[in-house]
Amino acid sequence: RHKEKWAATAPRIPATRLALHHFDASYGPQLGERWPAVRAALLCEHKYGALLNSFASAEHVAQELELHNAADFISEAARKAQSLLQVGAEKGESVSPEGHGGGRTVTPAGTPTPPAPIGSNIKCYTFPRGDITRFRPAWPDSLGLLSYYLMDAASLLPVLALNVQPDDFVLDLCAAPGGKTLALLQTGACGHLAANDVSISRTKRLYQILSSYVPKNVREAVSVTSYDGRDWAELEGGTFHKVLVDVPCTTDRHSVMETDNNIFHRRRTKERQMLPMLQLQLLISGILATKPGGDVVYSTCSLSPLQNEYVIERAIEIAETQFNITTHAEDLSHFRTLFQDTFSFSSDCRLGELVLPHLTANFGPIYFCKLHRA
Ligand code: SAM
């Protein structure tokens, strides 16, 4: 009884503050002396990238962005990959084909080869490190399609890691509001794209994005559904070449900055504690939806190993023991080499890659890991 009375009169601690306390306790020890800088970045203005809309007739958009000193970080990385390849070729090293993971191989002599190139039609402009200029809002072309979509540029890394090849059947299991779905469409390579999200209201936002950015004939070919992603395998197992599993998570940046829809609100404690379980179930569902020989990319916008590497390790184990499916995590360290001018990466992920927010490059956090199904 005494406890009840205390609880009723206890001062309300905002969810953002609870989130910060929680992160201080867990990320402080995890990141050590890097935590104060990451913490400061999380509490400062988020940096955006402008994902260029290839469906809009926006000839002048790229020139205008470049005039303001923004650059397409993806073609910069592709150029970097190309020059590393040349250096490698001069040294007589060989590279694994990009269609199969695009990862590193090791020559018989044991020297790692340079990274394979990033093949993508996606263009995303960012301002240089330390430049905090904001993009002006996108404007419509003569057909009403918007010129670019503003998003955390690091969110494109999971899409690039998926490495969609011409005519691939692609599933975006947790798709809303649709930033990555739009990026997948910008590759121009999806043979079929299925975009699913359990939330009806968020699926409406996905429809809005599709209608603002994608011409009717292209968006009508995207199948949008609102199933619980955990049940996907029962509906369509083993049919996709590429599956993106961009799971609900503690959305660390949102949780320290916004009180609305904050997962650290006391009434959502149970939901928050159950997140790793939901993430695991969604990833397993994604693995089951993939064809043998296909790939799954798992991503979160959290720094938490419990929601990142642990989910990957557990999913690999369960896929093997319960479903007799062998998967292995691909080495994505070439992403660190290619994109280090734009993003700050953590160097201590056991599996996958993690973009750490930094005041001079305030993107992320974004964790991504690619699993190849044997
Ligand atoms: N991929 C999206 C993008 O780039 O715009 C963001 C996805 S957000 C991180 C996670 C999404 O998972 C939310 O929209 C949420 O509604 C959805 N979700 C949560 N539980 C789900 C479930 N059981 N099945 C499918 N989607 C789910």
Side-chain angles (χ1 to χ4, degrees):
R1 210 186 292 157
H2 173 73
K3 201 174 171 192
E4 259 170 42
K5 192 172 173 219
W6 178 84
T9 54
R12 287 234 175 105
I13 303 173
T16 46
R17 180 97 68 83
L18 287 175
L20 204 52
H21 283 175
H22 182 95
F23 295 157
D24 281 333
S26 52
Y27 301 153
Q30 178 194 329
L31 295 173
E33 38 185 48
R34 281 169 303 166
W35 172 235
V38 174
R39 185 187 200 270
L42 279 177
L43 292 167
C44 287
E45 192 170 314
H46 193 187
K47 197 165 173 172
Y48 283 88
L51 169 66
L52 221 61
N53 185 11
S54 60
F55 300 114
S57 47
E59 302 95 57
H60 303 304
V61 180
Q63 280 137 296
E64 188 183 319
L65 291 171
E66 280 160 22
L67 221 91
H68 287 89
N69 213 19
D72 171 22
F73 78 90
I74 300 171
S75 46
E76 279 182 351
R79 276 195 292 277
K80 189 169 183 180
Q82 215 46 54
S83 65
L84 286 169
L85 276 178
Q86 261 163 19
V87 174
E90 281 156 22
K91 287 188 189 159
E93 291 169 347
S94 67
V95 165
S96 65
E98 230 241 318
H100 193 274
R104 285 176 158 220
T105 50
V106 175
T107 57
T111 2
T113 61
I118 297 290
S120 170
N121 295 324
I122 303 176
K123 289 194 188 319
C124 182
Y125 281 77
T126 54
F127 290 106
R129 258 182 193 269
D131 182 337
I132 55 166
T133 311
R134 293 183 191 156
F135 290 100
R136 73 165 165 118
W139 59 95
D141 69 358
S142 54
L143 298 173
L145 296 176
L146 292 175
S147 48
Y148 51 70
Y149 180 74
L150 295 179
M151 66 194 296
D152 186 324
S155 317
L156 289 174
L157 299 179
V159 177
L160 293 173
L162 206 55
N163 189 24
V164 177
Q165 295 297 301
D167 301 326
D168 272 353
F169 275 38
V170 183
L171 168 63
D172 189 355
L173 193 61
C174 304
K180 295 187 190 67
T181 313
L182 180 62
L184 286 166
L185 285 170
Q186 300 296 321
T187 63
C190 304
H192 172 66
L193 178 60
N196 176 73
D197 198 286
V198 75
S199 157
I200 308 269
S201 59
R202 285 172 68 92
T203 309
K204 283 189 190 139
R205 287 172 61 197
L206 171 66
Y207 276 118
Q208 277 165 10
I209 289 185
L210 291 178
S211 68
S212 309
Y213 288 88
V214 183
K216 202 165 177 233
N217 62 320
V218 179
R219 66 176 184 258
E220 279 178 357
V222 179
S223 68
V224 180
T225 51
S226 289
Y227 297 121
D228 184 326
R230 290 172 290 186
D231 302 332
W232 191 275
E234 288 161 33
L235 302 157
E236 254 181 305
T239 33
F240 293 91
H241 300 94
K242 304 284 160 68
V243 177
L244 181 63
V245 185
D246 185 36
V247 291
C249 67
T250 45
T251 52
D252 296 356
R253 186 183 286 276
H254 178 93
S255 293
V256 296
M257 292 301 279
E258 310 285 336
T259 35
D260 272 2
N261 190 25
N262 192 313
I263 191 126
F264 282 85
H265 198 288
R266 282 200 199 282
R267 66 169 181 272
R268 296 184 69 186
T269 304
K270 189 92 203 134
E271 182 191 347
R272 179 164 52 81
Q273 287 167 345
M274 291 306 289
L275 273 176
M277 178 54 81
L278 173 61
Q279 293 162 339
L280 176 63
Q281 290 169 324
L282 286 165
L283 178 54
I284 289 169
S285 190
I287 293 171
L288 296 176
T290 313
K291 276 175 184 283
D295 298 300
V296 184
V297 170
Y298 173 85
S299 55
T300 74
C301 46
S302 169
L303 296 163
S304 159
L306 277 180
Q307 299 174 59
N308 297 340
E309 292 106 303
Y310 284 109
V311 172
I312 299 288
E313 283 165 340
R314 197 81 187 97
I316 293 175
E317 194 181 305
I318 292 176
E320 187 75 59
T321 54
Q322 293 188 18
F323 299 98
N324 207 16
I325 294 176
T326 304
T327 54
H328 70 263
E330 301 245 329
D331 176 9
L332 295 176
S333 58
H334 59 294
F335 272 68
R336 241 184 289 156
T337 316
L338 296 180
F339 295 104
Q340 66 187 0
D341 294 342
T342 310
F343 306 109
S344 293
F345 286 90
S346 158
S347 52
D348 37 41
C349 275
R350 286 191 312 280
L351 296 168
E353 294 294 333
L354 177 66
V355 173
L356 293 174
H358 191 275
L359 279 175
T360 63
N362 208 353
F363 301 105
I366 294 287
Y367 171 79
F368 59 107
C369 183
K370 181 174 186 174
L371 295 180
H372 180 70
R373 179 173 170 173

